[in-house]
Amino acid sequence: MDAIEKRARELLATAYEADGMGGRAGVIRNPNQYMEKPDRRALGCIIAALTPPEEPDQALLVSMAMLVYHGFGLLSPEQKQSQLREMRKLWSEVMGRGYYSPDNRERYVAMLAARPEVP
């Protein structure tokens, strides 16, 4: 079970608990138990809603590039493409597809603690 499915199961189970259906919430949380068709459908919808897109919206990349470099519109086509490639890298990182992952979080936190003191 991946992180998205785990989160989806928890959201659905919490909703059932709020409705006083603790037994059904337990079934939802346990991936080894059989779920009724409406629950499977609801879980599938939540997973779809939580799943990020495979590709970034080009307009989003342009917006990001303009935020970082306000003169983006004045760049040559080659320079724009270079900036968009950099924004794609940032987007991938934010979406959890870059170097960062929860598995190596502690490594990045340790980098902050290891930084030299600034006079």
Side-chain angles (χ1 to χ4, degrees):
M1 175 173 23
D2 68 5
I4 290 175
E5 181 181 346
K6 190 174 184 179
R7 177 77 176 126
R9 285 178 177 273
E10 187 57 35
L11 288 169
L12 185 56
T14 300
Y16 278 134
E17 285 174 338
D19 288 342
M21 302 171 72
R24 199 161 193 173
V27 170
I28 300 299
R29 284 190 176 102
N30 184 347
N32 298 319
Q33 286 202 338
Y34 175 78
M35 283 193 300
E36 299 291 330
K37 187 174 184 175
D39 294 336
R40 290 193 311 267
R41 183 176 295 127
L43 186 62
C45 289
I46 296 168
I47 289 171
L50 293 175
T51 302
E54 288 296 318
E55 295 294 321
D57 182 338
Q58 284 296 99
L60 173 63
L61 296 181
V62 170
S63 175
M64 292 168 60
M66 290 182 74
L67 175 70
V68 172
Y69 181 69
H70 297 301
F72 177 80
L74 303 173
L75 296 175
S76 71
E78 295 81 19
Q79 291 170 318
K80 285 180 183 177
Q81 287 306 311
S82 176
Q83 287 291 315
L84 292 175
R85 279 191 298 276
E86 293 301 311
M87 295 306 104
R88 172 63 188 255
K89 291 177 191 175
L90 289 174
W91 180 86
S92 293
E93 194 69 27
V94 169
M95 301 310 313
R97 298 178 184 147
Y99 295 108
Y100 176 81
S101 75
D103 295 337
N104 61 20
R105 180 183 185 281
E106 295 306 316
R107 184 175 77 197
Y108 290 107
V109 170
M111 287 180 189
L112 288 173
R115 68 176 180 229
E117 291 297 318
V118 178

